[in-house]
Amino acid sequence: SVVKELVENSIDADASHISIFLQQGGRQSICVVDDGLGMSNDDLDNCYKRHATSKMSSPSDLFNINSLGFRGEALSSISAVSFLSVETRARGEKIATKLVVEGGIVKMQGATSHADGSSVTVKNLFYNTPARKKFLKKVETESRHIVRAIINLAAAYPSITFDLEHNGRQVMRLLKSTPQERAADLLGVQESDLTWFETKDEGIHLKCALCCDVSKIKGNGRQYIVVLSLIHISEPTRPERIAGCRGGVRKKAGGGGG
């Protein structure tokens, strides 16, 4: 969940390249680096506070939500149970700023060196809440969940390059591509193996890539559905292998050929 929240923040910041660095399945450290808009000093001052968000400027924005998060909960919750470090430089600014928060308490804030965009590092997650820490899974399991979360977001945002490293080893690299190329990469097939269709009904726009020859797809976990409204929904059982373009992604439960 921490990785997903941080990457979604990078997507909302208009990043074109997002890199994720993990140590011990994220249990030891998580670092997300992007080339997005970065944060101003005012935003950095407030980013770790509860219900503080730069993604909304007026109550009317509630009726026109175009971001993946707007409640201002993620960094506040994360910083309360970890050692959080944020380095950021807003586009067009000459000076970058660094913020360090430990257990919800600001330990340092000042100028630093950083490229346009942001780097968010989370270390020792749940160090001060052992009851929650014991519910973390084994390194292999946590790593698998993180890979799945990144794949889901990569399926939804093919125009973004995603890099994932674990313990210094590159696990994933998905270059900026078209929806067709990204769908083929994630399903492990050629673009020519995919049939695309789209439908619109009552405000819902669904665009899908189908590989009807399931013998060309290795494994049972490559089944996706993308909702353009950014609202996650349950997926009905269907025989096709589905990948898509923009929005939230849910993996089909159960695997198998369906």
Side-chain angles (χ1 to χ4, degrees), residues 26 33 63-64 69 77 104 111 131 154 160 177 185 213 218 227 236 243 246 249:
V33 182
F63 303 96
N64 186 31
S77 299
I160 299 175
S177 61
D185 285 343
D213 185 357
K218 299 179 181 179
V227 185
R246 179 178 183 273
V249 184

Side-chain angles (χ1 to χ4, degrees), residues 46-52 72-81 84 101 103-104:
N46 291 297
C47 71
Y48 64 95
K49 299 175 183 177
R50 292 194 64 191
H51 307 304
E73 295 275 6
L75 290 183
S76 171
S77 299
I78 294 168
S79 66
V81 294
L84 174 72
V101 183

Side-chain angles (χ1 to χ4, degrees), residues 146-166:
I146 291 170
V147 169
R148 172 57 59 181
I150 300 305
I151 287 176
N152 287 348
L153 290 168
Y157 295 91
S159 62
I160 299 175
T161 294
F162 290 87
D163 285 312
L164 175 62
E165 288 189 11
H166 183 222

Side-chain angles (χ1 to χ4, degrees), residues 151-251:
I151 287 176
N152 287 348
L153 290 168
Y157 295 91
S159 62
I160 299 175
T161 294
F162 290 87
D163 285 312
L164 175 62
E165 288 189 11
H166 183 222
N167 293 341
R169 182 177 67 87
Q170 188 172 73
V171 175
M172 180 192 310
R173 181 167 175 78
L174 293 169
L175 297 176
K176 175 183 177 180
S177 61
T178 64
Q180 293 81 0
E181 291 168 336
R182 183 61 56 86
D185 285 343
L186 293 178
L187 292 173
V189 299
Q190 300 296 316
E191 287 185 60
S192 58
D193 295 324
L194 298 176
T195 300
W196 284 84
F197 80 91
E198 60 183 300
T199 182
K200 296 180 181 180
D201 185 30
E202 297 183 356
I204 296 176
H205 182 186
L206 180 65
K207 187 175 183 180
C208 297
L210 307 181
C211 181
C212 296
D213 185 357
V214 295
S215 65
K216 294 185 177 182
I217 300 178
K218 299 179 181 179
N220 296 322
R222 297 177 177 180
Q223 306 177 37
Y224 311 92
I225 186 166
V226 174
V227 185
L228 296 178
S229 63
L230 305 181
I231 300 174
H232 292 204
I233 62 172
S234 297
E235 176 184 350
T237 302
R238 56 176 66 224
E240 302 91 351
R241 302 284 181 150
I242 301 177
C245 49
R246 179 178 183 273
V249 184
R250 290 290 297 270
K251 176 187 174 185

